[in-house]
Amino acid sequence: MTFIQRFIEEMPKAELHLHIEGTLEPEMMLALAQRNNVELPYKTLKDVRKAYEFSCLQDFLDVYYLGMSVLLTSDDFFDLAYAYLEKMNTQNVRHVEVFFDPQGHTERGVSFDTVMTGLISAFDKAKGDFGITSKLIMCFLRHLPEDSAFETLASACKCKGYIHGVGLDSSENGHPPSQFERVFKEARDNGFIAVAHAGEEGPPSYVGEALDLLKIERIDHGNRLLEDAVLTQRVADSGMAMTVCPLSNQRLQVVKNLADHPLRKMLKAGLRPTVNSDDPSYFGGYMNENYLALQAALDLSHDEIIQLGRNSFLGSFMTDKEKQKSLEHFDLFTEKFS
Ligand code: ADE
Ligand code: ZN
């Protein structure tokens, strides 16, 4: 293993773009289907893995929503989240900001409380067992109507202390952020911070709408932002972080090859990209695999990796004091590593 590979693996880092439902490994999918008597169109691990060939975001989303149908009880959500956090502990991930998609569950008759109970107990246990800190971000599914988002927000308002922010995900094209302006205003008025998937497949104007109408504090993906030089400069000047997901971009064919990935261009443009896994079980890698693949494809330097690691804490929603502490620990690690 090279110096830079070891550095990546051991570097303390934060994950800021992770859908908990996207950590459902094929083994767990089949085990939960059996435990809960859920019929799946897959019988073997080979069948499941065969379904993981995607030509675009929608292709993936169809499989992702089908996969999550095995999640029924609080124990299922606990097992899912704790397995992810155990893995992150082995990858030196110290802080996670995790998306969940309640409408993907309430639409199937699984209650909001069932989801929350399982997730919260897993995050609490991981804090005690590994010292990993976490924040939950509840996403609205943009292919569903505004009414459904408002209903979901009402449930979130009942557990305000446990949910840090709201996000927007699912099928991007044809569902501009403007469709959710009112629900985001109500969410912000209730104290939730806002983020949104924008510019993954959708045009740069969706990033502009997410900034101006949803008043987001971080951009999820944002690859296509670079097509608009004026907007790029504005985001760079703001210091806002972007949660970039290299293996996801490759598997959903947002980029043809990882070597074409825009991350270095983002750094050169003065933006603040971070590296994340999105839906690791579907896209072939967790945090370290994303860093390693991107480093190899773009030949990222030691300094660029350090920049990305620092960005992960700087771009997080930790308090200034927590950020300072994490960065001191990070800087000590980089000084001592040999
Ligand atoms: N839901 C889970 N992963 C997603 C992604 N990459 N884009 C949009 N919605 C998602
Ligand atoms: Zn995502």
Side-chain angles (χ1 to χ4, degrees):
M1 193 182 286
T2 63
F3 173 88
I4 194 109
Q5 287 168 336
R6 269 197 311 114
F7 183 82
I8 285 172
E9 294 198 345
E10 293 179 34
M11 177 175 82
K13 49 190 95 70
E15 169 138 75
L16 308 179
H17 187 144
L18 179 280
H19 301 262
I20 200 65
E21 296 89 347
T23 67
L24 182 62
E25 288 289 339
E27 289 80 359
M28 191 181 277
M29 189 192 290
L30 293 183
L32 291 182
Q34 198 167 38
R35 176 157 112 186
N36 293 331
N37 272 317
V38 175
E39 269 287 330
L40 285 176
Y42 323 115
K43 294 282 163 276
T44 64
L45 290 174
K46 212 168 138 206
D47 295 341
V48 183
R49 295 205 174 102
K50 222 166 66 199
Y52 288 10
E53 275 173 30
F54 313 115
S55 63
C56 62
L57 175 58
Q58 191 59 51
D59 249 17
F60 153 70
L61 289 169
D62 294 341
V63 177
Y64 170 80
Y65 293 123
L66 183 72
M68 69 172 78
S69 69
V70 303
L71 298 164
L72 294 184
T73 68
S74 288
D75 282 353
D76 300 340
F77 287 93
F78 174 89
D79 291 347
L80 178 73
Y82 194 75
Y84 162 67
L85 293 158
E86 263 183 319
K87 218 167 270 140
M88 290 310 89
N89 185 47
T90 69
Q91 298 204 346
N92 296 307
V93 173
R94 307 308 306 149
H95 176 76
V96 295
E97 301 192 351
V98 172
F99 296 129
F100 69 117
D101 284 333
Q103 289 156 294
H105 312 302
T106 52
E107 287 246 309
R108 306 180 281 112
V110 175
S111 78
F112 195 91
D113 284 355
T114 300
V115 181
M116 288 300 294
T117 304
L119 295 182
I120 292 166
S121 14
F123 290 119
D124 281 352
K125 184 161 162 56
K127 173 88 174 44
D129 291 351
F130 315 125
I132 297 178
T133 53
S134 57
K135 296 198 185 295
L136 268 177
I137 301 177
M138 179 187 84
C139 286
F140 300 114
L141 299 182
R142 66 205 305 162
H143 68 274
L144 295 179
E146 188 192 34
D147 288 3
S148 172
F150 268 116
E151 234 174 79
T152 309
L153 178 59
S155 300
C157 286
K158 292 190 196 128
C159 13
K160 264 187 196 169
Y162 296 101
I163 300 174
H164 192 76
V166 296
L168 187 65
D169 67 358
S170 198
S171 323
E172 186 178 13
N173 276 323
H175 300 287
S178 53
Q179 292 179 346
F180 296 89
E181 184 176 359
R182 287 184 295 198
V183 77
F184 267 69
K185 161 118 183 44
E186 190 161 315
R188 292 193 318 277
D189 288 348
N190 275 282
F192 297 107
I193 59 93
V195 298
H197 284 53
E200 180 184 16
E201 283 188 343
S205 63
Y206 283 20
V207 180
E209 281 189 19
L211 292 167
D212 294 331
L213 306 181
L214 307 188
K215 308 208 184 299
I216 58 167
E217 296 184 36
R218 197 160 69 202
I219 300 167
D220 295 318
H221 294 293
N223 296 41
R224 293 193 59 193
L225 167 65
L226 291 169
E227 293 170 27
D228 182 331
V230 175
L231 201 56
T232 297
Q233 193 56 53
R234 178 180 154 196
V235 174
D237 292 344
S238 77
M240 184 178 288
M242 299 167 65
T243 63
V244 176
C245 307
L247 290 175
S248 163
N249 294 157
Q250 183 185 33
R251 295 291 281 268
L252 299 185
Q253 313 208 19
V254 167
V255 294
K256 262 215 179 77
N257 300 297
L258 215 44
D260 304 326
H261 197 281
L263 185 126
R264 181 175 275 123
K265 286 197 193 95
M266 291 171 175
L267 286 171
K268 288 223 155 92
L271 295 165
R272 186 175 279 171
T274 60
V275 171
N276 308 274
S277 72
D278 207 4
D279 300 283
S281 105
Y282 292 92
F283 301 146
Y286 287 77
M287 281 291 273
N288 286 354
E289 291 80 14
N290 270 274
Y291 270 99
L292 290 168
L294 192 69
Q295 191 281 325
L298 300 185
D299 193 23
L300 293 175
S301 68
H302 185 221
D303 283 350
E304 284 170 321
I305 296 294
I306 289 176
Q307 183 68 58
L308 293 169
R310 294 192 107 250
N311 283 355
S312 76
F313 294 107
L314 281 169
S316 76
F317 293 130
M318 291 190 285
T319 63
D320 286 347
K321 213 167 146 195
E322 289 164 341
K323 276 187 200 177
Q324 197 191 337
K325 207 168 145 211
S326 298
L327 287 170
E328 275 167 17
H329 178 242
F330 182 91
D331 291 342
L332 207 62
F333 165 83
T334 60
E335 277 162 34
K336 293 241 162 93
F337 190 84
S338 55

